[in-house]
């Protein structure tokens, strides 16, 4: 009987042989980000005998030669895209025929989708480490890879000595692999994966800095951080340096989170599950980041069914989930994957992240969005454009943050939500939003609009500690404070009312 080593050696093939192992019409999973099996993908594209191949990726990135092929040869289906335009754009691949399809579903549902054959896969081509004691590691590409392997008839591995051996449930027996190819190329860096994302237009740095400063106000020390995968979030991460002993339980481990690890900001010391360890699904970044992930017990790679499960997330105390939006309407409905009839990015785990934080003890679900788009339109809108998908419903939204401030919507009425969101909209659009809200009877026609043309003076905010040791925030009054001021008014004595307002009042008129 052949030994394990002999059986493994017998499975080795070359790239030119690989296409012969794949039948026409196959549905092929090829990994994501730095774990994409790009050498195998190129070999399939170069073999013109292959036809009607469907490529499945979680997050497409890097050199994807199949996108320039005809519809009869290759189709692509993904669950997210860092394409700066939209899923079905032909701007980047002029010869495509809208091949990059999109599945709008949370990634923690992939296990069920495969079990119920709503998504089918025939072949999984994965990138792994060299074997050790009968196992290989999926390295930085765990995500949903094990589910795809489990439902594939054929599993082919690119064995790459540059792939980190990662901790956590990231290993598979070598007996699960049918064929393997030695491909020892360096893993792709962020710049190589998405050059158009880095070179393309971005929001001004001062806008993202102000959003970051508003985010960190809502993040306490010892909180556990969970971030959406939108690139809009990355420039704000650096402000978390102002906090200490943070935990990490998220999908993508990137350069910004790596720096927080190096600086000792992320320690995971106070996590209620996986204490002392960061939990992620996949990673991409620099060679230094990949080296950090190699055999490092303080960071574990878990399947998406675990990293994204809202029931698991709800067990993490003080979980702060941060999700980026494309548009938010004045009632709190959030769009994260589409505007009108164009799809951008994807749902990924946005809804699950928000709900996980909602049910976490001390948790905070946060939506971030710049007040104005790169093209100069308002991102706080009266109503979402026709065709826009509502990714997160108004009942799930609690915190919405722009560079102007924070709107807290939990338990608020439609009137209160309108005022709170108009208050953090860009000043260029507040007058129009107020007019539409009044016209549609969302708010009273007599509602004053003194705040519409001014920016909230955040510099006047100050924290004080009372004699009893309690910390209180003293700040300027906002339009959203109307009900609280009225409640306060009716608790005052007649004498106090006279001293405050220099007249006798039995009620507080809205104009005050």
């Amino acid at each position: 009987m052949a030994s394990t080593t002999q059986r493994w050696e017998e499975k080795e093939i070359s790239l030119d042989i690989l296409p012969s192992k794949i039948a026409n019409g196959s549905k092929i999973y090829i990994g994501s980000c730095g774990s994409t099996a790009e050498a195998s993908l190129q070999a399939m594209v170069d073999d013109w005998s292959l036809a009607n191949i469907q490529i499945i990726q979680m997050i497409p990135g890097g050199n994807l030669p199949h996108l320039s092929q005809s519809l009869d040869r290759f189709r692509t289906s993904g669950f997210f895209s860092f394409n700066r335009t939209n899923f079905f754009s032909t701007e980047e691949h002029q010869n495509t025929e809208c091949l990059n399809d999109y599945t709008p579903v949370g990634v923690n549902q992939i296990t069920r989708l495969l079990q119920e054959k709503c998504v089918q896969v025939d072949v999984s081509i994965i990138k792994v480490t060299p074997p050790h004691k009968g196992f290989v590691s999926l390295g930085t590409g765990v995500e949903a890879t094990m589910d795809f392997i489990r439902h594939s008839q054929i599993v082919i591995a690119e064995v790459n000595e540059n792939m980190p051996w990662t901790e956590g449930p990231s290993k598979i027996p070598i007996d699960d692999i049918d064929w393997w190819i030695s491909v020892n190329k360096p893993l792709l860096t962020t710049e190589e994966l998405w050059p158009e994302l880095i070179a393309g237009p971005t929001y001004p740095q001062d806008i993202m800095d102000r959003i970051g400063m508003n985010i960190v106000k809502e993040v306490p020390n010892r909180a556990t951080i969970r971030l959406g995968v939108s690139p809009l979030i990355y420039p704000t991460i650096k402000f978390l340096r102002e906090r200490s002993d943070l935990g990490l339980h998220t999908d993508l481990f990137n350069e910004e989170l790596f720096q927080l690890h190096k600086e000792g900001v992320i320690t995971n010391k106070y996590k209620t599950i996986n204490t002392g360890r960061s939990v992620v699904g996949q990673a991409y970044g620099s060679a230094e980041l990949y080296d950090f992930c190699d055999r490092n017990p303080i960071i574990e790679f878990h399947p998406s069914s675990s990293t994204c499960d809202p029931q698991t997330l709800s067990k993490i105390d003080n979980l702060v989930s941060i999700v980026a939006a494309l548009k938010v309407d004045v009632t709190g409905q959030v769009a994260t994957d589409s505007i009108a009839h164009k799809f951008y990015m994807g749902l990924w785990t946005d809804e699950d992240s928000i709900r996980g934080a909602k049910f976490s003890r001390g948790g905070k679900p946060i939506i971030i969005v710049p007040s104005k788009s790169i093209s100069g339109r308002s991102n706080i809108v009266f109503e979402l454009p026709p065709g826009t998908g509502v990714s997160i419903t108004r009942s799930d939204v609690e915190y919405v943050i722009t560079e102007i401030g924070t709107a807290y919507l939990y338990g608020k009425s439609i009137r209160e939500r309108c005022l709170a969101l108009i208050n953090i909209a860009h000043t260029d659009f507040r007058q129009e939003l107020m007019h539409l809200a009044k016209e549609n009877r969302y708010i009273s026609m007599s509602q004053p609009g003194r705040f519409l043309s001014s920016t909230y003076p955040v510099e006047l905010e100050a924290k004080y500690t009372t004699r009893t040791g309690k910390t209180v925030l003293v700040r300027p009054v906002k339009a959203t404070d109307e009900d609280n001021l009225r409640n306060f008014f009716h608790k005052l004595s007649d004498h106090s009312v006279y001293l405050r307002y220099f007249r006798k009042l039995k009620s507080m008129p809205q104009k005050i």
Side-chain angles (χ1 to χ4, degrees):
M1 183 176 180
S3 67
T4 301
T5 302
Q6 288 175 319
R7 292 199 305 272
W8 174 252
E9 292 174 349
E10 290 170 358
K11 295 178 180 180
E12 183 177 11
I13 59 173
S14 60
L15 281 171
D16 59 333
I17 301 272
L18 180 140
S20 67
K21 305 297 182 182
I22 297 170
N24 285 337
S26 292
K27 299 175 178 63
I28 304 174
Y29 170 77
I30 61 165
S32 297
C33 302
S35 299
T36 301
E38 66 268 9
S40 298
L41 186 57
Q42 185 66 58
M44 288 188 287
V45 169
D46 291 342
D47 191 309
W48 286 88
S49 65
L50 290 179
N52 295 327
I53 300 297
Q54 180 175 344
I55 300 297
I56 303 171
Q57 273 193 289
M58 301 297 292
I59 301 178
N63 179 31
L64 304 174
H66 63 293
L67 291 182
S68 62
Q69 300 299 303
S70 72
L71 190 63
D72 291 333
R73 292 204 68 209
F74 288 91
R75 299 168 183 261
T76 297
S77 178
F79 294 86
F80 193 87
S81 176
F82 282 135
N83 187 335
R84 189 168 281 282
T85 50
N86 58 77
F87 267 94
F88 306 105
S89 171
T90 58
E91 293 179 15
E92 294 174 30
H93 303 282
Q94 293 295 332
N95 297 323
T96 65
E97 300 177 27
C98 303
L99 309 183
N100 196 1
D101 203 358
Y102 162 52
T103 305
V105 67
V107 296
N108 72 312
Q109 296 294 315
I110 289 176
T111 302
R112 178 185 169 190
L113 290 173
L114 289 165
Q115 288 174 346
E116 298 182 5
K117 299 189 183 302
C118 297
V119 170
Q120 298 182 26
V121 60
D122 302 305
V123 180
S124 285
I125 305 181
I126 58 179
K127 188 178 288 188
V128 301
T129 64
H132 177 68
K133 296 185 177 180
F135 289 85
V136 294
S137 172
L138 296 173
T140 59
V142 176
E143 45 169 26
T145 300
M146 289 188 181
D147 287 318
F148 281 102
I149 290 173
R150 196 173 297 118
H151 292 274
S152 294
Q153 299 171 23
I154 299 173
V155 177
I156 301 173
E158 286 189 10
V159 178
N160 190 328
E161 63 186 14
N162 296 298
M163 176 64 83
W165 182 283
T166 55
E167 301 299 323
S170 59
K171 273 73 71 177
I172 61 171
I174 60 175
D175 289 340
D176 287 353
I177 296 172
D178 297 295
W179 309 100
W180 64 273
I181 310 149
S182 179
V183 182
N184 292 316
K185 295 181 178 179
L187 301 188
L188 297 181
T189 63
T190 306
E191 292 77 9
E192 293 168 327
L193 286 166
W194 302 288
E196 73 284 352
L197 185 72
I198 295 169
T202 58
Y203 284 98
Q205 188 60 50
D206 69 305
I207 297 294
M208 301 314 300
D209 285 351
R210 283 153 58 195
I211 291 176
M213 287 186 282
N214 288 331
I215 288 173
V216 79
K217 292 177 184 178
E218 305 299 336
V219 180
N221 293 329
R222 304 182 180 182
T224 294
I225 303 301
R226 176 173 179 78
L227 305 174
V229 297
S230 167
L232 191 63
I233 296 173
Y234 305 158
T236 69
I237 295 175
K238 62 184 179 183
F239 289 93
L240 295 175
R241 291 187 176 97
E242 298 179 19
R243 297 294 177 257
S244 61
D245 287 324
L246 296 179
L248 183 66
H249 189 107
T250 196
D251 302 315
L252 288 179
F253 186 67
N254 60 18
E255 206 65 38
E256 291 79 7
L257 293 172
F258 169 46
Q259 293 302 319
L260 293 184
H261 261 283
K262 286 174 60 178
E263 295 169 18
V265 177
I266 295 176
T267 64
N268 298 293
K269 195 182 296 184
Y270 297 96
K271 283 179 71 176
T272 45
I273 63 173
N274 306 112
T275 307
R277 292 158 290 166
S278 289
V279 173
V280 301
Q282 56 177 288
Y284 65 87
S286 63
E288 187 182 4
L289 178 147
Y290 293 132
D291 184 62
F292 174 82
C293 295
D294 187 49
R295 301 182 188 273
N296 190 340
I298 69 171
I299 181 168
E300 292 187 352
F301 285 73
H302 288 230
S304 300
S305 55
S306 170
T307 61
C308 309
D309 177 32
Q311 294 187 32
T312 301
L313 298 178
S314 67
K315 297 174 183 176
I316 305 173
D317 291 352
N318 302 311
L319 177 68
V320 179
S321 291
I322 303 171
V323 169
L326 298 172
K327 299 284 181 184
V328 180
D329 78 12
V330 293
T331 70
Q333 295 193 117
V334 177
T336 63
D337 75 329
S338 65
I339 301 175
H341 302 287
K342 291 185 177 181
F343 290 93
Y344 303 79
M345 298 185 292
L347 294 177
W348 199 250
T349 63
D350 293 343
E351 185 180 23
D352 295 323
S353 296
I354 292 299
R355 289 190 172 171
K358 277 178 71 72
F359 294 108
S360 159
R361 185 169 62 180
K364 290 185 177 181
I366 295 174
I367 306 292
I368 69 166
V369 60
S371 65
K372 184 189 284 189
S373 70
I374 292 175
S375 61
R377 298 183 178 92
S378 180
N379 284 332
I380 305 292
V381 295
F382 176 72
E383 61 182 349
L384 297 175
T388 303
V390 177
S391 310
I392 304 170
T393 61
R394 60 174 71 94
S395 62
D396 284 328
V397 176
E398 294 191 13
Y399 295 84
V400 179
I401 292 178
T402 69
E403 74 278 10
I404 294 168
T406 301
Y408 182 61
L409 305 184
Y410 184 64
K412 303 299 183 184
S413 67
I414 295 298
R415 176 183 64 83
E416 292 170 317
R417 286 165 175 259
C418 281
L419 291 174
L421 287 165
I422 292 173
N423 194 54
I424 63 168
H426 196 280
T427 52
D428 291 351
F429 306 102
R430 289 183 190 172
Q431 197 74 48
E432 179 187 0
L433 292 171
M434 179 69 85
H435 172 73
L436 289 170
K438 288 181 176 181
E439 190 178 67
N440 288 274
R441 301 296 189 268
Y442 282 13
I443 58 180
S444 167
M445 295 295 288
S446 62
Q447 176 69 47
R450 299 185 187 94
F451 68 95
L452 295 177
S453 59
S454 60
T455 301
Y456 175 74
V458 67
E459 67 276 4
L460 298 182
E461 290 185 349
K463 287 186 177 181
Y464 293 95
T465 303
T466 65
R467 293 176 182 176
T468 60
K470 184 176 182 178
T471 301
V472 295
L473 173 67
V474 179
R475 61 166 175 78
V477 173
K478 299 179 181 180
T480 50
D481 295 324
E482 180 183 329
D483 290 348
N484 289 330
L485 283 172
R486 187 175 290 111
N487 293 338
F488 175 70
F489 172 86
H490 287 292
K491 293 177 180 178
L492 296 174
S493 67
D494 291 342
H495 183 63
S496 293
V497 169
Y498 185 80
L499 291 176
R500 283 176 177 270
Y501 301 102
F502 306 107
R503 55 182 146 166
K504 293 180 179 180
L505 294 171
K506 293 299 180 183
S507 65
M508 176 175 274
Q510 191 175 47
K511 65 182 180 180
I512 291 181

